[in-house]
Structures are given as structure tokens and as C-alpha cells.
Amino acid sequence: IDRFGEENEELLLYMYEKLMKNYCKKLKFVKLARTNPRYYDFILDKDLSHQLDGNFLFQQMLKYKNLKLTYKNQEIHIVMEIQGRDKLSYFKEICSYFNDIDKK
């Protein structure tokens, strides 16, 4: 609680969505796709896909139960399961993972 009152879920959702979009720009994701109703697919730039340490990405990903990594067309895909989850929980999870990647 601060001078603006209690934080509500709508405000947190807005903030995490903006944070996710900023990470997507900073980490050079070329595409964000909802591959089907169950998943979001974050596709990294080909150049960055070759530069990043795949073992590091995998080790960090193990902390998150709703994420998996794939490699297609020389691009790293970070796939997040969203079905049955509220938006705030998956925005928090993906932002936390992106923060781990960004620190590297």
C-alpha cells in the first residue's frame, strides 16, 4: 500500500505485459505467436539464437514448469503453456525467465 492505494490485479497485469514487451524488444524476439489455444511461442532472432548458450537457457528454463525450449529453422523457440492459467501468473513467469536470460 502506498499513497496511490492498494495495487490491484489489473494494474499488475498491465505492468507485467509492458515488461514482457520490453524484454521481447531487448532480447530481439522476431515473433510472438499463439500457436494454438494452449501455447505462446516466443521466437528469438537467428543471430541471437546462435550466440546464446543453449545449456544456460535450458538450465534456467528448468526452474519453470510451464516453459519448454525448441529449436526450429535455426531459431530458438521458448514455448509457454497458458491453458488453465490466469494471465498474471504466466506474465510473471515469462518475465522472470526473460530476466534470467537478460542477466547473462
Side-chain angles (χ1 to χ4, degrees):
I1 300 175
D2 63 11
R3 66 183 179 169
F4 299 108
E6 290 186 33
E7 57 188 37
N8 62 34
E9 189 170 322
E10 188 177 310
L11 178 60
L12 287 173
L13 183 60
Y14 173 79
M15 290 173 17
Y16 275 103
E17 188 173 6
K18 290 293 184 186
L19 181 60
M20 182 195 71
K21 287 179 182 179
N22 285 338
Y23 275 129
C24 286
K25 286 179 189 174
K26 186 175 184 180
L27 296 172
K28 299 180 183 175
F29 285 94
V30 293
K31 188 174 181 183
L32 167 61
R34 189 160 182 180
T35 52
N36 65 47
R38 291 186 63 184
Y39 300 101
Y40 272 120
D41 190 359
F42 297 87
I43 304 168
L44 283 166
D45 173 76
K46 283 184 182 183
D47 291 334
L48 188 60
S49 291
H50 291 118
Q51 293 172 10
L52 287 174
D53 179 359
N55 288 327
F56 172 77
L57 292 176
F58 181 75
Q59 290 296 321
Q60 295 303 311
M61 186 265 317
L62 290 175
K63 297 186 226 175
Y64 306 96
K65 65 179 183 172
N66 296 299
L67 297 178
K68 67 179 183 175
L69 294 175
T70 62
Y71 188 75
K72 299 177 202 167
N73 302 322
Q74 300 180 340
E75 298 168 325
I76 293 173
H77 294 241
I78 300 167
V79 182
M80 177 177 62
E81 185 171 3
I82 60 171
Q83 185 172 0
R85 302 174 64 202
D86 64 280
K87 278 186 173 184
L88 186 57
S89 70
Y90 63 74
F91 278 138
K92 283 182 177 181
E93 182 175 44
I94 199 66
C95 287
S96 182
Y97 182 63
F98 289 165
N99 185 52
D100 291 347
I101 295 171
D102 189 41
K103 287 179 184 177
K104 180 77 172 157

